[in-house]
Amino acid sequence: MMYRSKPCLPYFSSVVKNVASPNIEVKKLVYIYLLHYAESEPDLALLSINTIQKSLTDQNPQVRAMALRVMSGIRVPVISQIVSLAIKRGCADMSPHVRKAAALAIPKCYRLDPNTLPQLLDYLATLLGDKQYYVIGSAVMAFLEVCPERVDLIHKHYRSLVRKLVDMDEWGQLATLRLMSVYARRCLPKRTRKVKKSKMKGFYEDESSEEDGSMGEETEVLDPDLELFIKACKSLLQSRNSAVIVAVARCFLDLGTPEYIDSAIGPLVALLRSPQDIQQVAMYNIVATCLARPERFVQYANHFLVHASDTFDVARLKFEVWTLIYPHCEPHVRDMILTELEHFTRALDPNLVQESVRAIGRCAQNDSRASARCLRLLLKQVSSQDDHLAAESLTVIRHLIQQEPQAHVKTVIRLAKNLDTTPNPDARATIIWLVGEFAGMDSENNIAPDVLRILTKGFASESEPAKLQIVLLAAKVYLHYLNRTRNQE
């Protein structure tokens, strides 16, 4: 009845009477009912506290753990001190299941009454030093929820936590990785030192080695404790949980050396075979890693081909990875990337078209050798019937031309010739603006007055953005004319 959302509150007193039942299955059902309705009937729920307290001394550890879990789950502020004492007893219990239940009860007790924090900190300090990995994962989760800023409690347990990291359950590993990342950034900073390279003369140990006489080069040196943590993380890259792999990759990116970052690239790319939600999270972390080590992703270029089932965000991030690795690729891989991007300029989704055009522009910016080909690809799209494609292509062309204006005078002339076949208002406005920018650059091949003369004939039928640019073009042409006549005088 309860799981069908039918009202079961009238049976509260009758159900709670069975809390003392010796049958463990009945006891479980009563505990579930009690947790669900304790807030609605706090007075009747308090009558069952004595019976639940007696269960804390039961011989069965499962019953003791369940009693502690239920007592901490009854959200009645009056019993906060009783819950605190139950947690204290649970911390000293012989069974790891009960100690784990005590660790999970600490955040509940803190939410029930924040004034119990001093006592709870003592219990946390005890549980963080537990010898069972089964308990420590829950203790770390409780620590992160109750007092994440108290890193002083971690100092003496740091190495123990790191050694037990591999044996914890997946959610405990995630909590510990998050805690250790914060702790390492605060207390274990990365350092650099100058190291002299040594050249060995021979193979055997008794043969002497000579050191290079140079000053040496600076290399990144990890703190021994930080290296202990990063080495412990490395085996977690084989985890079946994608969240653990992503967390380890973030740790390597924030704390590790390039060698450790490289070791996380393969497992991250393997997550692209996962469901779409995991793919998106993986792609965000791949882009972050690619910003630091783009050349290491070149061998995985084919893994970032966009599939029909990919969401827009995943496709956009794949384009981003391509633009980052483009300068480091072999010529045949560059051809493949540009061909794929050109293909997506004809996609049905206007957002995907926009992103593919932008990606072509970024490829040209990242690698000057490819700028001519990228510009040719973009110029083909200027006269497209797709308004989004034409406008976005011109925006990217404008940015490319502004980087090297002297080398693109002929490009501006070609764009001006396309004005008659360009219906998009934003595209026309961009071309007119470019013509105005080049009006005073080359007086012999100045096409601005001729373009202005043609545009003024159809000024009344132009769109608002184009009209504004035509007026601006007229002002630029007139100013350049005044400057030339003044110089001649």
Side-chain angles (χ1 to χ4, degrees), residues 331-381:
H332 69 279
V333 180
R334 291 182 195 168
D335 291 341
M336 183 269 291
I337 291 174
L338 288 180
T339 303
E340 284 292 314
L341 292 175
E342 185 182 8
H343 167 74
F344 282 100
T345 60
R346 299 185 292 274
L348 296 176
D349 185 357
N351 293 322
L352 199 58
V353 171
Q354 190 178 52
E355 288 299 327
S356 61
V357 171
R358 288 177 181 175
I360 292 173
R362 286 198 297 273
C363 288
Q365 288 178 338
N366 292 340
D367 187 5
S368 57
R369 295 169 295 179
S371 59
R373 181 181 174 184
C374 293
L375 197 59
R376 285 196 300 273
L377 287 176
L378 294 170
L379 286 170
K380 288 180 185 177
Q381 317 302 335

Side-chain angles (χ1 to χ4, degrees), residues 60 78 133 378 426 486:
N60 189 339
V78 181
Y133 64 87
L378 294 170
D426 293 329
R486 188 179 301 161

Side-chain angles (χ1 to χ4, degrees), residues 8-62:
C8 300
L9 190 59
Y11 312 111
F12 191 89
S13 56
S14 302
V15 173
V16 170
K17 288 178 184 176
N18 294 303
V19 75
S21 171
N23 188 327
I24 190 170
E25 297 301 326
V26 173
K27 197 183 286 282
K28 283 180 184 178
L29 294 172
V30 174
Y31 283 165
I32 292 170
Y33 180 89
L34 189 60
L35 288 173
H36 199 270
Y37 289 108
E39 280 186 287
S40 303
E41 292 286 346
D43 296 332
L44 289 174
L46 290 174
L47 296 176
S48 63
I49 293 296
N50 289 332
T51 307
I52 297 173
Q53 277 186 294
K54 290 178 183 177
S55 298
L56 292 172
T57 57
D58 195 278
Q59 291 184 352
N60 189 339
Q62 189 179 1

Side-chain angles (χ1 to χ4, degrees), residues 203-424:
F203 176 80
Y204 297 102
E205 291 182 0
D206 55 350
E207 290 183 6
S208 61
S209 63
E210 58 177 8
E211 289 192 352
D212 206 353
S214 61
M215 293 297 292
E217 57 182 16
E218 283 194 354
T219 58
E220 201 172 71
V221 179
L222 295 178
D223 185 277
D225 286 329
L226 178 57
E227 192 166 11
L228 178 70
F229 168 58
I230 292 179
K231 283 182 178 178
C233 291
K234 197 167 183 180
S235 59
L236 297 183
L237 290 172
Q238 311 301 323
S239 174
R240 63 182 178 180
N241 191 316
S242 56
V244 174
I245 295 173
V246 169
V248 172
R250 295 297 305 183
C251 286
F252 286 175
L253 190 60
D254 295 336
L255 305 171
T257 58
E259 292 76 18
Y260 285 105
I261 297 174
D262 294 345
S263 66
I265 291 174
L268 272 179
V269 174
L271 293 179
L272 296 180
R273 296 192 290 269
S274 306
Q276 287 184 354
D277 53 344
I278 296 175
Q279 279 188 43
Q280 186 168 341
V281 175
M283 279 305 306
Y284 277 112
N285 287 275
I286 285 171
V287 170
T289 309
C290 192
L291 287 168
R293 303 285 291 168
E295 66 279 359
R296 297 299 179 182
F297 282 88
V298 173
Q299 59 182 319
Y300 301 106
N302 290 333
H303 290 73
F304 301 107
L305 291 169
V306 179
H307 304 290
S309 59
D310 287 343
T311 61
F312 168 70
D313 287 324
V314 171
R316 176 176 57 83
L317 293 167
K318 285 183 175 181
F319 290 165
E320 181 68 24
V321 172
W322 272 346
T323 60
L324 291 172
I325 67 174
Y326 186 81
H328 308 279
C329 293
E330 296 292 327
H332 69 279
V333 180
R334 291 182 195 168
D335 291 341
M336 183 269 291
I337 291 174
L338 288 180
T339 303
E340 284 292 314
L341 292 175
E342 185 182 8
H343 167 74
F344 282 100
T345 60
R346 299 185 292 274
L348 296 176
D349 185 357
N351 293 322
L352 199 58
V353 171
Q354 190 178 52
E355 288 299 327
S356 61
V357 171
R358 288 177 181 175
I360 292 173
R362 286 198 297 273
C363 288
Q365 288 178 338
N366 292 340
D367 187 5
S368 57
R369 295 169 295 179
S371 59
R373 181 181 174 184
C374 293
L375 197 59
R376 285 196 300 273
L377 287 176
L378 294 170
L379 286 170
K380 288 180 185 177
Q381 317 302 335
V382 172
S383 56
S384 171
Q385 297 300 317
D386 186 344
D387 291 347
H388 296 285
L389 176 56
E392 192 61 38
S393 298
L394 273 168
T395 303
V396 175
I397 288 170
R398 187 188 70 190
H399 289 305
L400 293 176
I401 288 174
Q402 283 178 300
Q403 288 184 341
E404 293 184 66
Q406 297 290 347
H408 294 290
V409 176
K410 292 182 179 179
T411 305
V412 176
I413 296 173
R414 178 177 172 181
L415 288 172
K417 291 177 180 177
N418 286 335
L419 270 173
D420 294 335
T421 58
T422 306
N424 185 270

Side-chain angles (χ1 to χ4, degrees), residues 432 452 459 466-477:
I432 297 167
L452 178 62
F459 183 81
K467 284 180 179 178
L468 292 173
Q469 292 301 329
I470 291 170
V471 173
L472 183 60
L473 175 61
K476 290 177 180 178
V477 169

